[in-house]
Amino acid sequence: MEDKELLEKFKKAESQNYAFNLLVRKYQQKIYWHIRKMVIDHDDADDLTQETFVKVWQNLHHFQGNSQLYTWIYRIATNECLNFLRKKKQRFFLPIADVSKELLRKLETDAYVSGDEVAIKLQKALLKLPEKQRLVFNMKYFDDLSYEEISEILGTSVGALKASYHHAVKKIEDEMKMSV
Amino acid sequence: MRTHNEKPVKLPFETPPNYFEEFENRLEKRLKGEYEPKGIHKNLPFGLPESYFELLPQKIMQKIQNLRRAWAWYETPFGIWTIRLGVATMIIFAIVLIFPKTDNSTAVAELKKNLQTINKKELELYLFANYQNHLEAELFDKDIQLPEMHQYQPDSLQIRKKDLEEVLPDEHIEEILQQELENSEVL
């Protein structure tokens, strides 16, 4: 079902639950994986995905349709991730490097991490990037979003995103070479 | 001065194979931002619990239903009054925390110290003057004129026979009364 049709059904009280259920089924995987790549741990990703869709439910009647629905949902999910990581820093008075260390530890101990060595190495290299650079890389490289779409989600110019992605690729290549 | 035409300058640098042939292509990709890290694939090392995505919509819908029920309760009169009571309690609690009871132990100690410096005689005079003031106030309140003052006894000085009986034996009272009677006859 197209997003426009979903939104129309959501506006009607009798089909609201049905429409929202369809919306969750349509976007849950993209949103979950977007969050999971940022927080690494499955339980944290599960909580944040649920929280993201609760917020979508609470605010969907405010959605004006100025942007695409999925970029709007991505934006909510991204904010949830950044808030989660910020709270982690504040709660334990940790600098950014220590949050990365904790995420690295999770990468090694989480029950739901497979044994693909190259993929783990890439994730380890990604965890050494600043949060925003990691976000840009994930959305461009793994989610195949265009710079225009990422720009809509993060509210950053396309030029800045290109530079950020380029820096991220260079750092990852260097990191991967060093770990070989 | 030598020029390139006279003798070519040999630089000690080399480029990777096909560098200039591929330069245009690389530049185009870079402008589009389409470069990818070399030697890695897009696999993610993450797994999931079984049937996770089949169950996730149910979990989300359950959460939303719980929120809806909570909001429906908040909108009832009982819910509204509970919220108001909660807010009032929080405000009182905040006031108690912000304005704690002031410590007056130092003020009391200072007052005691000042009282010790006052002369006992001065204190008695002050209390007597105060008593006179009270006496005058009592006269004023009961609208007693000055000529009658000799007949007036303040409330605290009025003695009743019944009161005397409690402290004195009967014969003593009779004796006092007899003396009083004799005195009045002499006058």
Side-chain angles (χ1 to χ4, degrees), chain A residues 16-17 20 28 32 36 42 46 54 57 112-114 119 122-123 141-142 144 147 162 165-166 173 176, chain B residues 30-33 35 37-38 40 42-49 52-53 56-57 59 64-65 67-68:
Chain A
Q16 198 173 53
N17 276 2
F20 194 73
Q28 59 175 352
Y32 171 84
R36 179 80 189 266
H42 165 72
D46 180 38
V54 168
W57 167 275
Y112 300 110
V113 172
S114 77
L122 173 61
Q123 288 304 315
Y141 184 69
F142 289 109
D144 284 320
Y147 285 113
K162 280 182 183 177
Y165 181 66
H166 179 68
E173 279 177 351
M176 296 292 277
Chain B
R30 182 165 178 175
L31 287 171
K32 287 182 186 169
Y35 35 76
K38 289 167 199 159
I40 58 165
K42 290 191 179 183
N43 285 359
L44 286 169
F46 308 126
L48 284 171
Y52 176 70
F53 285 119
L56 186 59
K59 278 203 251 179
I64 288 167
Q65 292 306 324
L67 272 175
R68 272 176 147 185

Side-chain angles (χ1 to χ4, degrees), chain B:
Chain B
M1 192 178 157
R2 285 185 310 187
T3 63
H4 286 285
N5 292 340
E6 288 166 10
K7 191 178 178 184
V9 179
K10 181 77 178 164
L11 292 170
F13 309 123
E14 281 182 4
T15 58
N18 302 322
Y19 175 77
F20 289 109
E21 286 78 9
E22 288 173 5
F23 185 79
E24 197 183 330
N25 189 27
R26 279 201 310 277
L27 190 64
E28 197 183 326
K29 273 190 172 180
R30 182 165 178 175
L31 287 171
K32 287 182 186 169
E34 284 174 356
Y35 35 76
E36 290 185 354
K38 289 167 199 159
I40 58 165
H41 51 86
K42 290 191 179 183
N43 285 359
L44 286 169
F46 308 126
L48 284 171
E50 214 170 308
S51 311
Y52 176 70
F53 285 119
E54 282 83 66
L55 300 171
L56 186 59
Q58 281 176 31
K59 278 203 251 179
I60 292 167
M61 292 312 285
Q62 188 59 50
K63 224 173 183 176
I64 288 167
Q65 292 306 324
N66 291 345
L67 272 175
R68 272 176 147 185
R69 240 173 268 142
W71 276 112
W73 179 79
Y74 286 137
E75 281 167 4
T76 61
F78 182 70
I80 290 166
W81 278 105
T82 309
I83 291 168
R84 284 178 183 171
L85 194 68
V87 170
T89 312
M90 277 166 68
I91 290 169
I92 291 166
F93 195 65
I95 289 169
V96 170
L97 281 178
I98 294 165
F99 306 109
K101 203 176 165 186
T102 49
D103 180 19
N104 58 1
S105 56
T106 48
V108 170
E110 203 167 326
L111 185 68
K112 276 183 185 172
K113 201 177 156 189
N114 286 342
L115 281 172
Q116 279 170 357
T117 60
I118 298 169
N119 187 304
K120 202 180 172 186
K121 195 82 185 165
E122 280 176 9
L123 195 63
E124 280 172 1
L125 279 169
Y126 169 78
L127 290 173
F128 179 70
N130 228 17
Y131 170 73
Q132 273 192 322
N133 289 341
H134 280 290
L135 197 63
E136 279 173 30
E138 203 176 330
L139 292 172
F140 178 75
D141 288 343
K142 297 195 173 175
D143 199 23
I144 296 164
Q145 301 302 314
L146 275 177
E148 299 169 13
M149 263 196 77
H150 66 281
Q151 294 170 357
Y152 175 74
Q153 283 183 310
D155 290 348
S156 54
L157 297 177
Q158 280 175 2
I159 301 162
R160 293 173 298 170
K161 191 185 171 187
K162 196 181 169 190
D163 295 333
L164 283 173
E165 280 172 357
E166 285 176 10
V167 288
L168 294 170
D170 287 350
E171 59 271 27
H172 287 166
I173 296 168
E174 291 304 321
E175 204 175 297
I176 291 164
L177 286 173
Q178 189 61 40
Q179 273 182 1
E180 282 288 315
L181 194 67
E182 282 168 11
N183 286 343
S184 63
E185 279 172 2
V186 171
L187 283 168

Side-chain angles (χ1 to χ4, degrees), chain A residues 77-153:
Chain A
T78 304
N79 287 338
E80 285 294 312
C81 286
L82 294 176
N83 283 340
F84 172 83
L85 294 171
R86 200 171 298 135
K87 275 180 197 164
K88 223 178 217 328
K89 272 179 241 163
Q90 285 169 351
R91 200 178 306 145
F92 302 109
F93 304 104
L94 292 173
I96 298 165
D98 287 349
V99 174
S100 300
K101 268 185 200 167
E102 206 200 320
L103 295 179
L104 269 173
R105 192 183 51 78
K106 280 187 173 173
L107 195 61
E108 283 157 4
T109 56
D110 193 281
Y112 300 110
V113 172
S114 77
D116 186 332
E117 249 182 70
V118 181
I120 291 176
K121 265 183 196 169
L122 173 61
Q123 288 304 315
K124 284 184 178 174
L126 273 167
L127 284 173
K128 291 184 178 169
L129 299 179
E131 275 163 18
K132 290 269 173 75
Q133 226 171 62
R134 196 150 65 94
L135 265 172
V136 175
F137 183 86
N138 284 340
M139 285 194 270
K140 180 80 187 107
Y141 184 69
F142 289 109
D143 303 345
D144 284 320
L145 295 179
S146 69
Y147 285 113
E148 285 71 24
E149 287 167 328
I150 301 171
S151 166
E152 217 170 83
I153 294 162

Side-chain angles (χ1 to χ4, degrees), chain A residues 32-47:
Chain A
Y32 171 84
W33 289 117
H34 174 58
I35 293 171
R36 179 80 189 266
K37 277 175 272 168
M38 287 305 291
V39 300
I40 308 296
D41 182 75
H42 165 72
D43 292 329
D44 291 340
D46 180 38
D47 275 350

